[in-house]
Amino acid sequence: MTDSVNSSARFLIVGPQGSGKGTQGVRIAAAFHIPVVSTGDVFRANVAAGTPLGQKVQAIIEAGDLVPDELTSEIVRDRLSQADAADGFLLDGYPRNLGQVSDLDDFLRGRDESLDAVIELRVPREESIARLSLRAQEQGRTDDTEEVIANRLGIYERETAPILGVYGERGIVDTIDGVGSLDEITDRIVAALEARGLIRTAAA
Ligand code: ADP
């Protein structure tokens, strides 16, 4: 990281369930040498390990509802306070509503930091439903049943999509077509970030 030219890479990746944001988030974070912080992964790991947090959130996740903002934002603040996130991070699955946007704003303002880009992955609803049913067969995630998927997509449209309006006003949203091969989509995202002057480090 010594020859890094840009001083920070603070990104969000936003998209409906089945948009491929988890997969692309990992790829983009690797390219920029920053950690991925996925709130869904944190919750699932805690459920699997049976921690007190896991016990608290298990039923919420299985219903596809949102974990309360206070709890979620605290987890994110703790994680972003770790040393490896000092110069950059990619948040996947957070913020997920306007309250969380404001929590994140407060946190970053307190550190004199701001977001560099919000990557919006767009896929048609039918495509995202098709991908989710495939994932349900392959991975058997307990929140990938038809009913819970419908709930999660509804929450995305009502609560999460509006955050793009807020970030859009700040001029930091890059809307990316999420249909194509994995490599094509990664290339589109990297090109959009580079067009903002966010350059990958030489070690990539
Ligand atoms: P998906 O985007 O497919 O719903 P995630 O892994 O992002 O999958 O999230 C899984 C679940 O974890 C959500 O349905 C929700 O219950 C919980 N969760 C994840 N991120 C958040 C968040 N930012 N706020 C509240 N709940 C969250």
Side-chain angles (χ1 to χ4, degrees), residues 11-17 19-22 25 90-97 101 115 117-123 156 159-164 167 173-176:
F11 305 146
L12 308 184
I13 188 158
V14 184
Q17 288 72 17
S19 62
K21 71 183 164 56
L90 182 143
L91 277 168
D92 164 10
Y94 181 94
R96 225 170 174 100
N97 59 26
V101 167
L115 294 173
V118 175
I119 303 154
E120 178 197 5
L121 267 190
R122 251 199 212 168
V123 291
Y156 179 82
E159 301 198 34
T160 308
I163 76 172
L164 292 165
Y167 291 128
V173 176
D174 287 316
T175 299
I176 307 292

Side-chain angles (χ1 to χ4, degrees), residues 94-108:
Y94 181 94
R96 225 170 174 100
N97 59 26
L98 294 171
Q100 294 180 8
V101 167
S102 124
D103 288 346
L104 181 62
D105 280 345
D106 290 346
F107 174 74
L108 292 177

Side-chain angles (χ1 to χ4, degrees), residues 1-121:
M1 292 276 273
T2 46
D3 49 359
S4 162
V5 285
N6 60 311
S7 54
S8 78
R10 297 189 176 90
F11 305 146
L12 308 184
I13 188 158
V14 184
Q17 288 72 17
S19 62
K21 71 183 164 56
T23 307
Q24 293 298 334
V26 169
R27 288 169 159 235
I28 298 303
F32 282 83
H33 305 282
I34 51 176
V36 182
V37 177
S38 157
T39 43
D41 283 352
V42 171
F43 291 139
R44 274 187 295 277
N46 277 275
V47 170
T51 66
L53 170 66
Q55 288 170 15
K56 214 182 274 184
V57 302
Q58 181 164 13
I60 300 175
I61 288 174
E62 284 175 0
D65 292 327
L66 293 189
V67 173
D69 292 350
E70 207 177 308
L71 187 55
T72 307
S73 292
E74 188 186 329
I75 286 163
V76 172
R77 284 192 294 267
D78 283 352
R79 178 64 189 88
L80 295 186
S81 301
Q82 290 172 28
D84 65 335
D87 294 327
F89 52 78
L90 182 143
L91 277 168
D92 164 10
Y94 181 94
R96 225 170 174 100
N97 59 26
L98 294 171
Q100 294 180 8
V101 167
S102 124
D103 288 346
L104 181 62
D105 280 345
D106 290 346
F107 174 74
L108 292 177
R109 197 177 306 117
R111 303 209 311 180
D112 231 357
E113 294 173 1
S114 58
L115 294 173
D116 295 299
V118 175
I119 303 154
E120 178 197 5
L121 267 190

